[in-house]
Amino acid sequence: MRRMIPTTFSSKFQGAVSMNALRCYVSEFISTFFFVLAAVGSVMASRKLTAGDVTGPFSVLLPAIANAFALSSSVYISWNVSGGHVNPAVTFGMAVAGRISVPTAMFYWTSQMIASVMACLVLKVTVVEQHVPIYKIAGEMTGFGASVLEGVLAFVLVYTVFTANDPRRGLPLAVGPIFIGFVAGANVLAAGPFSGGAMNPACAFGSAMIYGSFKNQAVYWVGPLLGGATAALVYDNVVVVPAAEDDRGSSTGDATGV
């Protein structure tokens, strides 16, 4: 038994550094870079269009629309390569559900984090008249409340990702990413004025790194990761009937004439 543990870990690590896995990491880098560039850039664009008014409706509406479109596109372009995670919370949920190995998840995280930092760096270098915005908590919210809210938003997002990835639904390839983008846009509209509606630790980390402030950064890690893990466990173990049980149920129904 003791010899099986390193062998299993070794095989998982070898799979995480295979050529196919490297393609997944590159795909995650590209898709995450595009998403963060659009998501964070849309906040900067809204400030430009509204002359710095961060309290008006357009300060939330424009980023929400950008999040919806950008996430749909980012997930779609990497859907058949890496699974289109674009978010450490999604990757964490996949690892908790056993759909990817822990070493692979760590490399996914690395690709996503580097991509987010690079995207925010591009914005800082090109848009010199503005600083890269960071996610902030509204004055009427506590850190704990913001973390819970971000966790609920991540739960909804990751649950939608698992639903869109379910082959038993028989959905066309392009449909899943569209609904994932819709959920992200709705979440930003609902929570943007309160916690920022990040749902994505990589996006929050990249902007904080370039801005130079990690205040309340734990809110955008603890909440989304717990929410993503809970969504994965609920979908795989509570809501969806395992394929084996489904087959047995179908066989029983046929035999009894039901």
Side-chain angles (χ1 to χ4, degrees):
M1 183 64 66
R2 293 181 179 178
R3 294 180 180 178
M4 293 177 62
I5 296 176
T7 302
T8 303
F9 179 81
S10 177
S11 62
K12 289 183 178 180
F13 184 79
Q14 289 177 0
V17 295
S18 64
M19 186 58 64
N20 185 54
L22 293 177
R23 295 190 188 97
C24 294
Y25 307 147
V26 172
S27 179
E28 279 295 308
F29 177 89
I30 294 173
S31 57
T32 305
F33 179 90
F34 170 60
F35 170 71
V36 175
L37 187 72
V40 178
S42 66
V43 177
M44 301 173 71
S46 68
R47 290 181 178 179
K48 176 71 174 180
L49 295 174
T50 59
D53 181 16
V54 296
T55 60
F58 286 104
S59 64
V60 177
L61 182 60
L62 294 180
I65 295 174
N67 270 264
F69 287 164
L71 187 59
S72 295
S73 303
S74 298
V75 171
Y76 178 77
I77 63 177
S78 58
W79 186 264
N80 63 340
V81 180
S82 63
H85 295 190
V86 199
N87 187 334
V90 175
T91 302
F92 189 64
M94 291 291 178
V96 169
R99 301 196 181 191
I100 62 173
S101 67
V102 173
T104 300
M106 297 303 294
F107 282 115
Y108 265 58
W109 276 18
T110 302
S111 299
Q112 293 158 355
M113 305 291 280
I114 295 176
S116 179
V117 172
M118 293 299 295
C120 292
L121 182 61
V122 169
L123 290 172
K124 178 179 177 61
V125 172
T126 56
V127 187
V128 294
E129 63 180 16
Q130 290 191 44
H131 61 76
V132 175
I134 59 175
Y135 292 93
K136 296 181 179 180
I137 302 173
E140 61 267 27
M141 293 199 71
T142 63
F144 176 77
S147 184
V148 171
L149 180 58
E150 287 291 324
V152 172
L153 299 179
F155 177 94
V156 177
L157 177 63
V158 176
Y159 191 90
T160 304
V161 171
F162 271 72
T163 303
N165 268 297
D166 196 336
R168 287 169 290 188
R169 291 181 173 269
L171 296 175
L173 175 63
V175 173
I178 292 176
F179 285 113
I180 294 171
F182 283 169
V183 167
N187 285 347
V188 173
L189 283 174
F194 303 107
S195 64
M199 301 167 284
N200 191 325
C203 195
F205 175 81
S207 58
M209 173 68 76
I210 298 303
Y211 183 83
S213 173
F214 289 93
K215 184 179 180 180
N216 295 320
Q217 187 68 194
V219 168
Y220 304 104
W221 280 89
V222 176
L225 292 183
L226 291 178
T230 305
L233 293 174
V234 169
Y235 187 85
D236 272 0
N237 299 283
V238 178
V239 177
V240 177
V241 179
E245 293 184 12
D246 194 19
D247 292 340
R248 287 198 298 269
S250 299
S251 300
T252 303
D254 293 340
T256 58
V258 177

